[in-house]
Amino acid sequence: MSPLALGQLAQALFGTADVLRGKMDASQYRDVVSGMLLLKRASDQPGILQVPERAHWSHIVGYEGKALGHVLNEALWELERNNREVLEGVFEALDFDRRLGRAELSALVDQFDHIPLSDDDLEFGDVVGRAYDLILSAFADSAGKRGGEFFTPRSVVRLMIRLVRPQEGQSVYDPCAGSGGMLIQARQYIDEHGGEGADLALFGQEVNSATWSTARLNLLLNGITDSSVLCGDTLADPLHSLEDGHLRRFDCVLTNPPFSMNYSEKEVRYPERMKYGWTPEQGKKADLMYVQHVLATLRPDGIGAVVTPHGVLFRGGAEVEIRRGIVEDARLEAVIGIGPNVFHGTAIPACILVLRGTNGTPADQRGHVLFINAEREVVTGRSQNRLEPQNVEKIVGAFREWADIPGFSRVVSLDEIAANDFNLNIRRYIDAGPPAEPPLDVRAALSGGVPRSEVDAEAGKFRVFGIGLANLFTAQDSDYLAFRSEGCEATAARIPDLAAVRERDFIDHYRAWWKGMESRIADLAGTRKLLMLRPRLMASFREELLTEGILDRYQLAGVFAAWWSDRQDDLRSLDHRGFSGVIDRWAMADGQRSYLPETLAHIRVLEALGDDLRTRLERLVAAERQGLVDIYRSWGDRYAISLADLERQSEAAAARLRARLQELGYTGPA
C-alpha cells in the first residue's frame, strides 16, 4: 500500500467530521474528532505515548457489553492517567456519552478504523500534524468570529516567524497561544533551515481552556511533547516566571492577542510590565497593554512580532504617550500593514509590529522605523483574503533589506514621526494607492499628439521588451509624438508581437539557468539536504534573471517562493526518496502504479519541476506585457481624438447632412 499523503489524510479526516455536522457546532465536533484522532494515532504509532490496554484501538473496536461512548471516555481517561505530563486536563470537557448517540459513535469509530496512522503508513512523519492543522483551519472558518480567537491564518504565522528568524537553541514564547500554530511553525522553521527544531524551547499561555486543550493536542500531534503551554489570562497573570519571582524572558515572542479588549488595572500582576503607561480600562483598548507585555518579556537582544488592529497606531490620549516611549526607546523596528479580511471572524485590516528588547533596534537602524504598506499584497478570496507565498516573500524581502520601495515600504526618521505627534498610521508615511495619472496635456487634447514627457516616463518599460518609440509613434515636433497611421488600437494589438523576441530570450535565459541547476538538485536527491538549497537556489534564480530587466527582484523572488511552496511535498519526496519517490507519489495521486526506471524518473521529475517554474514565469511576463498594452491604450484614450479632430468630424457630419437635405429638396436653414 502506498503511503498516505497529506491531502488524502486531510480528506479522510474531513470525512469523519461529516458524520457530526448538523448535530453539534464546530467547537464541539472539533473536540470529538481530536479525541478520536489521538486515540487512533497513539495506538498506531508506538512510542508517542504510553498506551494502556483499555486505550488501545483494538480494545475500542472490539468492545462488548458497554456503551461505546463509555468505552471511548474510559480510553481517554486511561491515556491521560498514563501520560499526565502531556495530557493532563486536555480532554476534561469531552464526554462522548453526552454528545453523541450510538449510531454516530459507531460510524466515527468505523471511519477512523480505516485510516492508518503509523509513520510507516504516512508519506512524511509530520503528515498527521499538518492534516490536523488543516482541520483546525476549517473549524475556524465555520466558527465565524470565534474562529479568530484560536486560529491565526498560517500564512500570517509564517510571515511573522520569518520576520523574527528564531535560531536553534533559543526560546520562543506566545502569550496568547490559541491553537499553538506560532510555536509549532517556529520549530518547523528551524528544521527546514537545517537545524534541530527539538533544540528550540517553546512556551505559551492561553486564557480559554478549550483552546488551551486544542493547543496542547496540536503540539502533541506535531511531535512536540516538551513545551510549556499554560492556561490563564496572560495580561492579568502571566504564569511563566523564574524562581526569584521575576518574569521569564525569551529570545523571540510571537503572538496574535485578542483585539479590542477591556481589562482591570487592579487585577494586573507584574505592573512593571506597563513601563510606558496604561490605556483606559474600558473602551476596548487593551491592545497596547499586550504590546507592552511582549516588550517586557523579551530578552535585551530579543525580537518579537505582534498582531494588532490599526487603532493602536493612531488613537489619542494615553496611547500617544505609550507610542512615544516605545519609539523613543528604539523598541519599534517596523510597522507592517497587511490588509483587510485576512483573519477569521473579522474584516478589519490589521498590522504587525516588529519589536526589540531593551538593547533596541540594530545600530545602523537606530533613529528610524520601517513602514510597510502591504494592503495590496493579498489575494482576494470568496469569504476571506489570504497572503500567498509571493506576498510573504515581498514583505520579508523589504524588511530584510530595510528598503525604500515606492508605494510599498519606507524608512522613516524619528524626527518625522515626532513631528506627526507619534502617529504611526501607515498611510501617513506611505501611499499605497495606484499612481495618479499625469494631468491632461491641454495642447495635446486641443490640437492632437502625445506629450513626449508622458511617453518618456514609461519608455523604459517598453525598452526592456525591445520596443522603441519608433514602433509606437511617429515624430510630430520636439515636444509631441503622433500615433502611427494604422491607428492606436492597431498599434496596441501589435505590442505582443513586438515583445515576442525579448520574451523568448528571457525564457531561454531561464532554461539555461535551470539546466545548470539540474545537476545540483540531482546531487542532493535522497540526501535529506535538498530543502536547505532553497535560499541559494532562489538567490541564483533572482540574480540571474534580474539582468534581463523584465521582472524586478521582488517579482522573481515571489514567483520562485510560490513555486517552491506549491511543490513542497514533491521536493520533500525528492529529498527523502529520490526521483522514483516523486514519480510514485504522482502515480498514487492518479490512482495508478508506476514502473518508471530511475533514469527516466530523473528526467521526468526535473522536466516537470522546471516546466512548472517556467510556466509561472511566462504568466508573470505576459502580465507585464499586458501592462504595456494598457499603458499605450491609456494614451489613446487621452489623446487619440483631439478637440480639433472632433471639430473636423462635426463639420464633416454637418456637411453630409446639408448635402443629404439638398438631395431631398429641403431648402430651409440647415
Side-chain angles (χ1 to χ4, degrees):
M1 179 180 175
S2 299
L4 207 59
L6 171 63
Q8 294 169 306
L9 178 56
Q11 185 177 7
L13 293 178
F14 282 123
T16 65
D18 287 340
V19 174
L20 306 174
R21 287 194 178 95
K23 299 177 176 64
M24 55 182 64
D25 66 33
S27 63
Q28 291 177 314
Y29 68 68
R30 177 190 71 196
D31 294 343
V32 171
V33 170
S34 298
M36 288 279 201
L37 178 61
L38 180 64
L39 286 169
K40 186 64 162 61
R41 172 66 168 159
S43 292
D44 283 5
Q45 181 55 42
I48 290 181
L49 296 171
Q50 295 182 36
V51 185
E53 178 60 32
R54 284 190 292 182
H56 269 289
W57 191 255
S58 58
H59 176 77
I60 294 169
V61 297
Y63 77 97
E64 291 180 4
K66 296 179 182 177
L68 182 53
H70 179 77
V71 172
L72 288 163
N73 286 339
E74 189 177 65
L76 277 181
W77 297 333
E78 286 294 308
L79 197 62
E80 178 181 331
R81 190 170 66 83
N82 283 267
N83 300 273
R84 288 196 184 281
E85 191 172 317
V86 180
L87 290 178
E88 187 167 15
V90 169
F91 292 107
E92 196 170 87
L94 177 56
D95 183 345
F96 288 104
D97 260 338
R98 180 168 54 86
R99 293 188 173 179
L100 294 165
R102 179 171 183 148
E104 289 86 7
L105 287 174
S106 295
L108 271 177
V109 169
D110 184 62
Q111 290 257 27
F112 273 99
D113 195 41
H114 290 86
I115 305 175
L117 292 177
S118 75
D119 284 352
D120 290 340
D121 295 314
L122 304 171
E123 185 177 20
F124 304 113
D126 63 354
V127 164
V128 172
R130 291 167 64 199
Y132 185 62
D133 214 50
L134 291 175
I135 290 289
L136 292 180
S137 177
F139 288 155
D141 281 337
S142 59
K145 184 176 180 179
R146 285 166 48 208
E149 296 175 3
F150 74 86
F151 194 88
T152 303
R154 292 318 184 223
S155 58
V156 177
V157 176
R158 284 190 290 273
L159 169 60
M160 294 171 69
I161 289 168
R162 291 189 61 192
L163 293 172
V164 306
R165 289 194 292 187
Q167 304 294 312
E168 191 175 4
Q170 289 187 334
S171 56
V172 175
Y173 170 55
D174 183 351
C176 304
S179 60
M182 301 275 190
L183 303 178
I184 291 166
Q185 291 209 28
R187 184 167 285 191
Q188 290 174 352
Y189 175 87
I190 300 294
D191 289 332
E192 290 167 3
H193 288 75
E196 288 291 337
D199 287 340
L200 194 68
L202 303 178
F203 300 84
Q205 186 167 333
E206 170 56 43
V207 65
N208 183 288
S209 59
T211 303
W212 168 79
S213 297
T214 300
R216 294 276 302 279
L217 179 59
N218 198 10
L219 288 158
L220 177 59
L221 290 172
N222 278 276
I224 300 171
T225 59
D226 54 354
S227 61
S228 173
V229 179
L230 306 176
C231 188
D233 183 342
T234 297
L235 198 56
D237 186 16
L239 298 175
H240 288 95
S241 58
L242 302 171
E243 291 181 0
D244 62 6
H246 289 92
L247 281 179
R248 184 185 289 271
R249 299 180 192 276
F250 307 93
D251 297 296
C252 301
V253 181
L254 295 154
T255 195
N256 176 15
F259 288 1
S260 307
M261 301 290 287
N262 293 323
Y263 75 100
S264 172
E265 182 177 341
K266 67 181 180 181
E267 294 178 0
V268 174
R269 294 185 62 214
Y270 302 101
E272 64 274 13
R273 289 177 290 161
M274 309 309 161
K275 173 183 176 180
Y276 299 106
W278 299 77
T279 62
E281 295 178 72
Q282 302 301 311
K284 297 185 176 181
K285 295 181 178 178
D287 307 294
L288 278 174
M289 308 303 285
Y290 283 106
V291 170
Q292 291 188 85
H293 173 75
V294 171
L295 291 168
T297 51
L298 282 171
R299 293 184 186 275
D301 59 349
I303 181 171
V306 55
V307 179
T308 70
H310 277 255
V312 306
L313 303 177
F314 54 78
R315 287 195 296 249
E319 295 186 74
V320 176
E321 295 308 309
I322 295 174
R323 290 195 299 271
R324 178 196 301 273
I326 292 172
V327 172
E328 289 184 337
D329 281 357
R331 306 292 298 277
L332 178 64
E333 184 171 1
V335 180
I336 302 169
I338 53 171
N341 200 30
V342 171
F343 293 86
H344 295 278
T346 178
I348 66 171
C351 61
I352 297 171
L353 306 183
V354 181
L355 306 168
R356 289 285 182 170
T358 52
N359 287 355
T361 55
D364 59 342
Q365 299 170 1
R366 194 66 54 86
H368 296 82
V369 174
L370 176 67
F371 287 80
I372 297 177
N373 192 336
E375 290 183 5
R376 295 164 67 187
E377 291 297 314
V378 295
V379 175
T380 303
R382 280 194 306 174
S383 60
Q384 188 175 355
N385 298 336
R386 62 189 185 276
L387 285 171
E388 295 284 12
Q390 62 269 27
N391 309 125
V392 171
E393 198 65 41
K394 184 174 182 180
I395 295 168
V396 172
F399 177 75
R400 289 273 166 268
E401 296 166 12
W402 203 248
D404 280 324
I405 304 172
F408 183 71
S409 63
R410 182 173 166 238
V411 178
V412 180
S413 70
L414 176 57
D415 290 341
E416 184 177 348
I417 294 172
N420 283 306
D421 198 25
F422 295 91
N423 185 319
L424 302 177
N425 190 354
I426 299 169
R427 291 188 179 183
R428 184 173 289 255
Y429 303 101
I430 304 171
D431 181 7
E437 283 193 357
L440 185 71
D441 186 290
V442 176
R443 176 182 158 183
L446 291 174
S447 304
V450 182
R452 283 183 181 269
S453 58
E454 289 190 28
V455 175
D456 288 344
E458 303 286 3
K461 296 177 182 177
F462 288 86
R463 278 196 299 271
V464 298
F465 277 88
I467 303 174
L469 295 186
N471 300 120
L472 306 173
F473 302 100
T474 59
Q476 181 168 302
D477 58 39
S478 60
D479 294 323
Y480 292 88
L481 299 166
F483 290 107
R484 294 172 64 89
S485 59
E486 64 192 355
C488 174
E489 272 303 310
T491 303
R494 285 196 301 109
I495 286 176
D497 290 335
L498 294 171
V501 173
R502 285 290 293 121
E503 289 186 40
R504 283 197 299 271
D505 290 344
F506 180 83
I507 296 303
D508 286 345
H509 194 161
Y510 160 74
R511 285 194 174 100
W513 172 83
W514 179 259
K515 193 69 178 173
M517 292 298 109
E518 284 183 340
S519 60
R520 296 181 66 182
I521 295 171
D523 287 345
L524 293 174
T527 65
R528 304 209 172 198
K529 295 180 181 178
L530 173 63
L531 299 185
M532 288 184 280
L533 185 62
R534 181 186 187 274
R536 294 194 298 277
L537 206 60
M538 176 187 282
S540 171
F541 171 82
R542 183 181 59 210
E543 300 309 319
E544 186 74 23
L545 296 179
L546 191 60
T547 60
E548 296 283 347
I550 289 179
L551 301 176
D552 66 32
R553 62 190 301 105
Y554 300 105
Q555 290 173 307
L556 289 166
V559 74
F560 184 93
W563 170 78
W564 187 277
S565 176
D566 291 345
R567 288 290 188 171
Q568 180 182 19
D569 281 350
D570 287 338
L571 293 165
R572 290 183 73 191
S573 186
L574 180 59
D575 197 19
H576 286 231
R577 303 182 184 91
F579 292 101
S580 294
V582 182
I583 294 295
D584 287 344
R585 80 181 307 270
W586 291 346
M588 179 182 66
D590 293 335
Q592 301 173 359
R593 297 192 65 182
S594 170
Y595 299 99
L596 204 61
E598 179 67 20
T599 52
L600 292 179
H602 179 141
I603 295 170
R604 178 70 187 94
V605 169
L606 289 175
E607 182 182 74
L609 293 176
D611 285 352
D612 184 16
L613 183 52
R614 174 183 53 77
T615 300
R616 294 165 188 263
L617 265 183
E618 288 173 339
R619 285 200 296 265
L620 196 53
V621 170
E624 290 296 299
R625 182 224 307 140
Q626 181 59 43
L628 302 183
V629 176
D630 294 342
I631 291 170
Y632 192 81
R633 282 182 171 148
S634 73
W635 289 326
D637 292 340
R638 289 159 68 87
Y639 302 119
I641 301 177
S642 67
L643 182 60
D645 293 330
L646 292 174
E647 288 176 346
R648 283 192 292 271
Q649 291 172 10
S650 177
E651 290 172 359
R656 288 194 299 272
L657 178 60
R658 284 194 298 271
R660 180 61 178 152
L661 290 174
Q662 288 174 358
E663 290 174 5
L664 296 172
Y666 181 73
T667 58

